[in-house]
Amino acid sequence: MSEEPKATLGILGSGRGSNFAAIRDAIASGRLSASIAVVISDREDARILELARQANIPTVVLRRGKFRTRLEPDIEEELAECLRRFRVDLVILAGFLRVLKGPLLAAYAGRILNIHPSLLPAFKGKDAWKQALAAGVAEAGCTVHWVEAEVDSGPILGQARVPVLPGDTPESLHARIQEAEHRLYPEVIQQVIDRKLWQQIHS
Ligand code: GRF
């Protein structure tokens, strides 16, 4: 692991927070040279917030707004402002269930990462592991990619493959993919930090 450079992460999530926990653990064990400045959610009851509080990491809950799958522009602007306030270098989407549209993409262009539970470009969108199972593929996996305006379509930074096994259910396949996610996401974030990829984009 390299000592420097170190990056400040802002993590956005709506759910269980298992990827947040994997990133937290990677930092604690020295595998990831970063710190988590803030965890932000659109859901006040999301477990990711509870996990962040247990780790003494500041948490922020976004205003609910009137849409379910995206944020109103002024709420997205507040989100960008919050990330700036916490001096976030890299925005880490970890199960954040809102599509980012304008203000945040502009404010953090080339500095937002997402993890998706499929081998992109296959199976974009919702419940990708169910799509993989229904398609009868032999291999599934996960992808870390840069976030751009089109959903699940930004440049790919890393992928991990897992087999689809006989008798797999959506739950068993999803669990296997999530184990792979927990290894892949911290590794790719470290590569982005080591190679100063986000700084290159902004220099
Ligand atoms: C992950 O499976 C990720 O691929 C998808 O959302 C899920 C988040 O899970 N984008 P968790 O909240 O990190 O447990």
Side-chain angles (χ1 to χ4, degrees), residues 15-20 94-95 114-117 129 174 178 181-182:
R16 292 191 312 136
S18 68
N19 281 283
F20 158 77
N114 183 43
I115 190 158
H116 182 77
W129 62 93
H174 189 208
Q178 282 226 299
E181 290 183 345
H182 301 158

Side-chain angles (χ1 to χ4, degrees), residues 31-156:
R31 285 177 289 124
L32 176 54
S33 166
S35 60
I36 303 171
V38 62
V39 171
I40 302 174
S41 184
D42 59 328
R43 298 190 51 148
E44 63 192 5
D45 59 347
R47 182 162 172 270
I48 190 171
L49 292 173
E50 183 56 34
L51 293 177
R53 288 185 201 112
Q54 287 168 10
N56 290 319
I57 294 170
T59 59
V60 171
V61 179
L62 297 171
R63 284 195 288 126
R64 190 174 290 268
K66 58 176 186 265
F67 305 120
R68 254 167 40 89
T69 57
R70 63 188 171 98
L71 299 169
E72 283 160 60
D74 58 334
I75 300 179
E76 207 174 303
E77 185 52 60
E78 286 171 21
L79 170 57
E81 185 47 42
C82 173
L83 292 164
R84 282 192 213 102
R85 200 166 61 244
F86 280 96
R87 300 187 180 283
V88 166
D89 298 313
L90 279 174
V91 180
I92 306 297
L93 304 187
F96 188 60
L97 295 178
R98 305 289 188 118
V99 178
L100 299 171
K101 291 282 180 185
L104 187 64
L105 295 180
Y108 273 84
R111 290 196 285 164
I112 310 174
L113 297 176
N114 183 43
I115 190 158
H116 182 77
S118 80
L119 296 171
L120 289 173
F123 311 127
K124 296 178 182 180
K126 200 168 178 294
D127 295 347
W129 62 93
K130 288 186 188 168
Q131 298 182 47
L133 210 52
V137 292
E139 257 189 342
C142 52
T143 302
V144 177
H145 63 94
W146 291 117
V147 172
E148 292 184 345
E150 198 182 332
V151 175
D152 300 334
S153 297
I156 290 173

